[in-house]
Amino acid sequence: MQATNQASAYHMSRRCHGALKRRKGCVINVSSISGSSNDATGAPYHMTKAAMEHMTRYLACEWGGDGIRVNAVAPWFIRTPLTEPLLSQAPFLAAVRRVTPLDRVGEPREVACTVAFLAMDAASYIT
């Protein structure tokens, strides 16, 4: 889980640093609210997302001088094949909805639109 959730983002970002610097590019990591809260999905997942978020903050500061923006999107529960076994349990879904201001589960498209916005020039001051 460490290799998938955090190390891969770190190594990919580091390898792309030169190209990102030349093009004033951006890095957008996909984390989870689990990086800063507890949703009972397990310590290893939470730890890797917390590490990704700290790495994102650190790289945003370290690479900002190079004109590279670094952001993370940290969604709450999104309906995916991975979350469907949990969300298909009525008590679990009710608990998620109860603590979600919009009273619903998110959709993958909503995360994708957020990532797309962060990649646009319209987000040029967000890091």
Side-chain angles (χ1 to χ4, degrees):
M1 195 169 290
Q2 173 66 28
T4 300
N5 288 350
Q6 194 273 322
S8 61
Y10 173 76
H11 293 298
M12 176 68 81
S13 297
R14 295 299 277 179
R15 287 201 162 178
C16 293
H17 180 265
L20 291 164
K21 185 176 178 178
R22 282 189 299 279
R23 301 184 125 220
K24 304 294 186 217
C26 65
V27 174
I28 305 162
N29 294 311
V30 179
S31 184
S32 164
I33 197 70
S34 297
S36 59
S37 70
N38 179 6
D39 63 11
T41 55
Y45 182 75
H46 287 256
M47 292 174 355
T48 62
K49 293 302 185 174
M52 175 187 283
E53 289 178 16
H54 190 69
M55 174 194 75
T56 299
R57 286 188 296 273
Y58 187 87
L59 291 180
C61 293
E62 184 180 275
W63 292 1
D66 293 334
I68 301 169
R69 296 179 299 108
V70 185
N71 289 288
V73 175
W76 181 234
F77 275 91
I78 303 299
R79 191 170 301 284
T80 68
L82 190 61
T83 62
E84 199 53 48
L86 291 171
L87 296 172
S88 66
Q89 301 171 30
F92 188 88
L93 177 59
V96 167
R97 291 183 62 185
R98 195 169 32 255
V99 297
T100 304
L102 295 177
D103 191 30
R104 67 179 179 82
V105 174
E107 297 297 329
R109 181 181 180 283
E110 294 169 305
V111 177
C113 288
T114 302
V115 170
F117 168 72
L118 288 171
M120 293 178 182
D121 288 339
S124 63
Y125 194 63
I126 300 173
T127 195

